[in-house]
Amino acid sequence: ETGVTQTPRHLVMGMTNKKSLKCEQHLGHNAMYWYKQSAKKPLELMFVYSLEERVENNSVPSRFSPECPNSSHLFLHLHTLQPEDSALYLCASSQGQGGEKLFFGSGTQLSVL
Amino acid sequence: GESVGLHLPTLSVQEGDNSIINCAYSNSASDYFIWYKQESGKGPQFIIDIRSNMDKRQGQRVTVLLNKTVKHLSLQIAATQPGDSAVYFCAEGPGGYQKVTFGTGTKLQVIP
């Protein structure tokens, strides 16, 4: 148990669906992140939030929309995704916003049909 | 551009032997290096880190070595156990409030 909880663990959605991924951290950290993990590729940083403000959007398509209502919760809203968006989506938190010593959740395995 | 890579995608080690996982980096300005372990069905888990002003750091059964001259990082696992089977990622960053960059990972298989 890392203190970062993601739901759902698995998600299958059609290209016209709207779904949301949820992340909650119980570590008192100030920064939260969304990463995308695809097979045989390095972890790709998508978004960074520090103290509930978005500090980085790493050229992510607008069909991915993050939301950080407070420092403990992070959402990733999904809309009209493509099959190539199928991947493991990982949430992480850290004490600062530098990405040092990240604490990851177990991820949501997303399949877009 | 900068990249972080691994010499071997898969490493098989006999239980009880020592494991060495290697990582090359190209950004000479990198100040901070981290190793993560990712077991099947889980997210990456922090193992150990090292800053550029050090060349060696030890943890519990793990040692990280940093060779800045050749921009090489390695993770040594002593007396490898079946529970060490996982994918290991190195990551590097400039330190401070800058994000880290991850490598593609090396899969460690421990043979009982």
Side-chain angles (χ1 to χ4, degrees):
Chain A
E1 179 58 52
T2 64
V4 180
T5 304
Q6 288 187 245
T7 54
R9 290 296 307 273
H10 303 273
L11 180 62
V12 179
M13 59 186 291
M15 289 189 285
T16 58
N17 291 158
K18 288 184 181 180
K19 297 287 184 182
S20 296
L21 310 185
K22 180 182 176 182
C23 177
E24 183 175 0
Q25 59 100 356
H26 314 276
L27 302 169
H29 288 164
N30 294 324
M32 296 187 77
Y33 310 76
W34 281 115
Y35 278 88
K36 177 183 179 182
Q37 187 174 35
S38 305
K40 300 183 179 179
K41 292 177 68 176
L43 280 165
E44 300 174 57
L45 178 64
M46 299 175 72
F47 301 104
V48 182
Y49 276 82
S50 177
L51 298 172
E52 303 149 45
E53 289 193 18
R54 190 189 309 179
V55 297
E56 183 149 354
N57 176 347
N58 214 26
S59 301
V60 179
S62 59
R63 57 186 184 269
F64 296 92
S65 176
E67 178 189 1
C68 187
N70 55 62
S71 59
S72 299
H73 292 86
L74 185 66
F75 296 89
L76 187 63
H77 304 299
L78 314 174
H79 177 50
T80 59
L81 294 191
Q82 304 300 310
E84 60 264 29
D85 296 322
S86 298
L88 180 68
Y89 288 85
L90 290 160
C91 173
S93 70
S94 67
Q95 189 59 45
Q97 66 180 62
E100 299 183 357
K101 196 177 279 189
L102 294 164
F103 291 77
F104 285 89
S106 295
T108 295
Q109 185 66 54
L110 174 68
S111 296
V112 181
L113 305 179
Chain B
E2 288 84 17
S3 65
V4 177
L6 292 155
H7 294 313
L8 297 172
T10 305
L11 177 66
S12 295
V13 175
Q14 201 74 34
E15 181 179 356
D17 287 351
N18 296 335
S19 303
I20 300 176
I21 301 171
N22 296 304
C23 182
Y25 66 95
S26 59
N27 185 359
S28 57
S30 291
D31 178 63
Y32 182 64
F33 304 87
I34 318 162
W35 282 100
Y36 286 90
K37 170 187 180 183
Q38 186 173 20
E39 298 175 80
S40 180
K42 297 183 179 180
Q45 180 182 7
F46 173 87
I47 302 174
I48 192 168
D49 58 1
I50 189 169
R51 296 206 175 270
S52 61
N53 61 351
M54 302 173 68
D55 52 22
K56 180 179 180 179
R57 192 174 186 202
Q58 288 185 292
Q60 188 175 11
R61 278 201 310 119
V62 295
T63 300
V64 55
L65 298 176
L66 175 63
N67 185 331
K68 295 181 286 293
T69 301
V70 295
K71 297 204 253 327
H72 185 267
L73 187 71
S74 68
L75 177 71
Q76 300 180 1
I77 305 173
T80 311
Q81 302 170 359
D84 295 326
S85 294
V87 176
Y88 290 81
F89 297 93
C90 64
E92 54 92 19
Y97 292 105
Q98 301 298 316
K99 67 178 186 289
V100 296
T101 301
F102 284 84
T104 51
T106 291
K107 183 176 182 179
L108 177 64
Q109 295 178 321
V110 181
I111 304 166

